[in-house]
Amino acid sequence: MTNPLLADWTTPFALAPFDAISDEDFAPALEQALAAHRAEIDAIAADPADPSFANTVEALEAAGTALDKVLSVFFTVAGADSNPQREALQRDFSPRLAAHFSEISANKALFWRLAALWEQRDTLDLTAEQARVLMLTHRNFLRAGAALEGDAEQRIKAIKSRLATLGTEFTQNLLADERDWFMELSEADLEGLPGFVVSAARAAGAEKQAKGPVITLSRSLIVPFLQFSPRRDLREKAYRAWAARGANGGKTDNRGIAAEILKLRAERAQLLGYENFAAYKLDTEMAKTPANVRELLLAVWEPAKARALADGAVLEAMLRADGIAGPLEPWDWRYYAEKRRKAEHDLDEAALKPFLQLDRMIEAAFTCAHRLFGLDFAPLDVPLYHPDCRAWEVTRDGAHVAVFIGDYFARGSKRSGAWCSAMRSQAKFPEVQAPVVINVCNFAKGDPALLSYDDARTLFHEFGHALHQMLSDVTYESVSGTSVARDFVELPSQLYEHWLEVPEVLGEFATHVETGEAMPKPMLDKVLEAANFDQGFQTVEYVASALVDLEFHDGPAPADPMQKQAEVLEAIGMPHAIGMRHATPHFAHVFSGDGYSSGYYSYMWSEVMDADAFEAFEEAGSAFDRDRARALEANILSTGGSRDAAELYIAFRGRLPGVEALLKGRGLVAA
């Protein structure tokens, strides 16, 4: 019987046949797919013909189809719907995959062919995209250690294998801590909590099979609890558990793992001829150097800290007015900030949330995409990996563009956070393929599901990533969609957040869950006026994390990352009542893999551009100006990594932006 992961998928749009795939299929499918890919690579390397773009670079692009199919399904379910068997498979697969790709990058015959093509590049009559793919492929091999020999070659293989194992362990430890902790609430403990928090706590209690409502470490539940619970003792207990993820001692403690990861990354960078890991990692990004990153972060840090300290003084006065001697603690900030927002802006999150229905916010994201890019979305009835998932066919002028899958609700089997991934990326070679794109979020479940304003912004953010995938129009998959510089990849997502705040969008889609009436204009005005409320807090918690990430990697690896974290925070004057957005033991962006290591700053680097890019629409007189939308698609959303990121932005905007637009957008100019 053919393994369903390796069979031809005759499903609609060649989607993975999730209803036919079992966990027992993954290991044998991976075995066969690895063998097939190895044979393809060996054939390319041993080709007796002189190297050409077609028989080497395009052959590499075409190889690994079976492996891509297996891994696209496996990593989708491992991240969004894990179980003990999938976690065990992931622990087994990670070092094997690292060894497999290390073997490819260390293939001297293959690298010789790429090096020969690189030397001849000016005589090959390549298209601009082909020249870019050749450059990236050759560079990726060099950065993977293809030019190393002897002991250095063997050592970098061992490092990559060990890093893969450690990243998996870090992720699974964090998932275990988030899954296993919950705080039971009595009926009396629910006092002061708005209905949507109570409903979410009861639903979480049912999922945990508890006797009543519970607070879990899901952001969509713990944050509103910290905002609204008048019980300071319970806020402290919940916050301390949230802050301690990955640092509870025992088998799920991530502190030792983080130290070993940093040590191995530093060694890897030195083997490749770089001073440190930050220099290695940033060499291919828009920022280029650690100094440039530090300059941006510190330029934002000082006005953000000034605003946060001023806000903190106001909140501490409110605390003291409640008869508490102080000082203001991290478990107090959100509670008093919410009270202040209600007092100063007459804006109550509990009153706002009934206007932010999940289904209406999805509809809003789709409608904006239609008005900007002509996309239409029609529901699909297809088997998916979890009952919570939904799918839509995306078309333009009746032609198929993509399949979009949304997986929106928090559950114990899903890792925290929100992300976008492509189960299949757009390409035209070796054959035309349309993308299959997934947005995964962790919103509290409800009937109907209601979002916080931050949740709604997250939905638009991830959908911006999805548009980058869906509107991709390149030839080669290796430069498709979000395959761009890390500090450019957040531009489309953060830019799309701006459309949530367009008054006519909220005016149409923010409708009351019970009455269906549009959000009253006074409330709408208050929402938009309060968009930058508490921006000092939000900026400080983010920039502190980005600076710690940078300092971890810009120099020798710290023997004790927790001590290094404390030193960095002390040096920048971190306000006592604000915690890092991601402390080291649960900093999955940095330690679950190399993706955002030395790169957490990239959200802010991209924000400099997204603030400036949205100004282009404002200057044109409409957030839905079609000329600007066409320019955005032509120069950024459709081009993937087929051209240099700075070149793409300049093509759209005519210049690179400065930090002023970001500070203005966050309301920090006067700070």
Side-chain angles (χ1 to χ4, degrees):
M1 181 177 174
T2 303
N3 189 308
L5 285 160
L6 299 174
D8 289 334
W9 293 347
T10 56
T11 50
F13 310 107
L15 295 174
F18 286 107
D19 55 343
I21 296 169
S22 71
D23 288 346
E24 286 69 30
D25 294 321
F26 287 118
L30 181 72
E31 203 73 51
Q32 292 181 59
L34 286 174
H37 193 215
R38 198 174 295 115
E40 290 169 330
I41 296 299
D42 289 345
I44 298 167
D47 190 336
D50 289 341
S52 67
F53 187 83
N55 69 21
T56 304
V57 179
E58 286 191 330
L60 283 171
E61 288 280 332
T65 301
L67 185 59
D68 288 345
K69 289 173 67 175
V70 174
L71 296 182
S72 71
V73 176
F74 177 73
F75 283 115
T76 294
V77 298
D81 190 28
S82 194
N83 60 35
Q85 187 171 353
R86 290 170 186 172
E87 290 178 15
L89 286 168
Q90 196 168 7
R91 290 191 294 272
D92 176 50
F93 287 2
S94 293
R96 292 185 63 198
L97 288 167
H100 174 74
F101 289 109
S102 290
E103 180 185 318
I104 293 172
S105 61
N107 187 313
K108 298 301 181 189
L110 180 57
F111 180 61
W112 172 83
R113 298 180 71 85
L114 287 169
L117 287 173
W118 181 244
E119 288 298 318
Q120 304 163 29
R121 60 189 181 278
D122 293 335
T123 66
L124 297 178
D125 194 26
L126 302 178
T127 67
E129 184 178 333
Q130 288 174 331
R132 175 83 174 164
V133 170
L134 171 59
M135 183 279 288
L136 292 171
T137 306
H138 179 252
R139 187 178 75 181
N140 289 344
F141 268 73
L142 281 175
R143 288 172 60 79
L148 298 179
E149 303 279 357
D151 291 346
E153 179 183 358
Q154 296 308 309
R155 179 59 184 154
I156 206 163
K157 284 183 183 178
I159 288 172
K160 286 191 278 188
S161 177
R162 180 63 179 156
L163 284 171
T165 297
L166 292 170
T168 298
E169 288 180 6
F170 189 99
T171 304
Q172 294 188 352
N173 288 346
L174 179 56
L175 177 62
D177 277 5
E178 292 174 341
R179 182 177 55 218
D180 295 345
W181 187 92
F182 59 89
M183 179 175 70
E184 296 192 51
L185 300 178
S186 68
E187 291 301 311
D189 296 336
L190 300 175
E191 183 181 348
L193 296 178
F196 74 87
V197 180
V198 174
S199 297
R202 293 193 192 283
E207 188 199 2
K208 297 293 184 188
Q209 299 181 326
K211 296 177 182 177
V214 305
I215 298 301
T216 70
L217 296 181
S218 168
R219 187 178 185 89
S220 63
L221 182 51
I222 195 168
V223 167
F225 180 78
L226 293 171
Q227 280 179 295
F228 292 106
S229 175
R231 288 283 301 277
R232 194 179 192 225
D233 57 331
L234 296 182
R235 295 200 312 267
E236 179 179 0
K237 182 179 179 182
Y239 180 87
R240 287 190 182 279
W242 197 34
R245 291 169 293 157
N248 289 302
K251 64 181 182 178
T252 63
D253 198 294
N254 276 333
R255 288 171 288 190
I257 291 174
E260 187 177 354
I261 287 173
L262 292 173
K263 182 180 177 183
L264 291 172
R265 284 177 180 164
E267 184 182 356
R268 176 184 179 184
Q270 287 163 3
L271 285 169
L272 293 168
Y274 289 87
E275 183 180 356
N276 55 56
F277 186 80
Y280 160 76
K281 190 67 185 296
L282 295 171
D283 188 36
T284 59
E285 307 298 337
M286 289 184 75
K288 299 301 180 189
T289 68
N292 289 339
V293 173
R294 190 175 292 105
E295 181 182 1
L296 168 68
L297 293 175
L298 292 178
V300 178
W301 173 257
E302 290 304 329
K305 184 172 72 168
R307 174 64 54 79
L309 290 173
D311 289 344
V314 174
L315 302 184
E316 187 161 303
M318 296 171 68
L319 175 85
R320 293 179 187 278
D322 278 351
I324 301 169
L328 187 75
E329 298 287 354
W331 47 88
D332 297 319
W333 190 292
R334 288 176 174 84
Y335 177 70
Y336 285 99
E338 182 60 32
K339 290 181 74 170
R340 183 186 181 192
R341 177 167 68 166
K342 188 174 181 181
E344 293 187 3
H345 294 278
D346 193 21
L347 187 61
D348 182 353
E349 175 107 357
L352 173 63
K353 203 159 186 174
F355 289 95
L356 300 176
Q357 301 172 62
L358 171 62
D359 285 350
R360 293 291 278 155
M361 290 300 103
I362 294 171
E363 190 181 351
F366 288 176
T367 299
C368 290
H370 175 76
R371 292 183 64 182
L372 288 164
F373 310 114
L375 300 178
D376 293 298
F377 299 80
L380 285 174
D381 183 12
V382 292
L384 298 167
Y385 60 86
H386 191 277
D388 285 346
C389 296
R390 291 183 260 177
W392 293 264
E393 183 190 7
V394 186
T395 59
R396 180 152 58 182
D397 299 328
H400 179 74
V401 172
V403 169
F404 174 66
I405 298 170
D407 179 3
Y408 294 108
F409 297 125
R411 51 180 174 266
S413 62
K414 183 189 288 188
R415 64 179 170 89
S416 61
W419 63 94
C420 174
S421 59
M423 292 196 69
R424 184 172 66 231
S425 295
Q426 177 272 332
K428 300 173 187 174
F429 178 90
E431 57 186 27
V432 174
Q433 61 184 37
V436 177
V437 187
I438 303 180
N439 275 179
V440 183
C441 299
N442 270 282
F443 303 143
K445 204 167 189 177
D447 185 21
L450 303 178
L451 305 183
S452 68
Y453 197 69
D454 189 53
D455 289 337
R457 186 181 287 115
T458 296
L459 187 148
F460 268 70
H461 178 102
E462 298 306 331
F463 193 71
H465 281 308
L467 287 172
H468 202 182
Q469 296 277 14
M470 292 188 287
L471 291 173
S472 179
D473 185 21
V474 298
T475 301
Y476 300 102
E477 189 172 348
S478 63
V479 291
S480 175
T482 56
S483 298
V484 299
R486 179 63 62 179
D487 49 12
F488 191 69
V489 76
E490 297 298 336
L491 168 60
S493 54
Q494 293 178 182
L495 176 58
Y496 205 65
E497 292 179 35
H498 289 270
W499 274 273
L500 173 63
E501 296 181 354
V502 172
E504 63 189 278
V505 174
L506 283 176
E508 181 177 357
F509 295 100
T511 55
H512 196 277
V513 62
E514 293 175 359
T515 67
E517 293 179 1
M519 182 183 291
K521 190 173 187 308
M523 179 182 281
L524 175 60
D525 291 341
K526 290 168 189 172
V527 168
L528 298 175
E529 287 170 7
N532 280 323
F533 179 76
D534 216 20
Q535 196 59 248
F537 170 88
Q538 295 176 40
T539 308
V540 161
E541 65 164 4
Y542 165 78
V543 175
S545 296
L547 282 166
V548 168
D549 167 42
L550 181 66
E551 300 305 335
F552 274 162
H553 297 99
D554 187 23
D560 182 350
M562 299 305 293
Q563 180 183 340
K564 180 69 172 179
Q565 173 184 294
E567 291 170 356
V568 173
L569 296 181
E570 182 179 3
I572 62 176
M574 183 72 171
H576 168 76
I578 302 179
M580 294 170 63
R581 183 170 299 179
H582 304 290
T584 298
H586 53 261
F587 207 163
H589 281 80
V590 170
F591 293 108
S592 288
D594 275 357
Y596 282 89
S597 55
S598 288
Y600 193 61
Y601 77 92
S602 59
Y603 290 93
M604 187 146 282
W605 190 275
S606 293
E607 189 178 340
V608 171
M609 292 182 284
D610 82 63
D612 180 68
F614 192 70
E615 280 190 354
F617 284 87
E618 293 176 326
E619 291 164 6
S622 169
F624 294 98
D625 183 81
R626 287 309 298 270
D627 288 339
R628 288 289 81 204
R630 279 191 284 268
L632 179 65
E633 180 178 353
N635 294 301
I636 292 175
L637 296 177
S638 70
T639 50
S642 63
R643 290 157 61 195
D644 176 75
E647 178 188 331
L648 292 175
Y649 191 83
I650 292 170
F652 169 67
R653 194 68 168 109
R655 53 166 173 73
L656 289 174
V659 74
E660 296 79 14
L662 178 147
L663 293 173
K664 178 184 172 186
R666 286 188 172 234
L668 297 174
V669 174

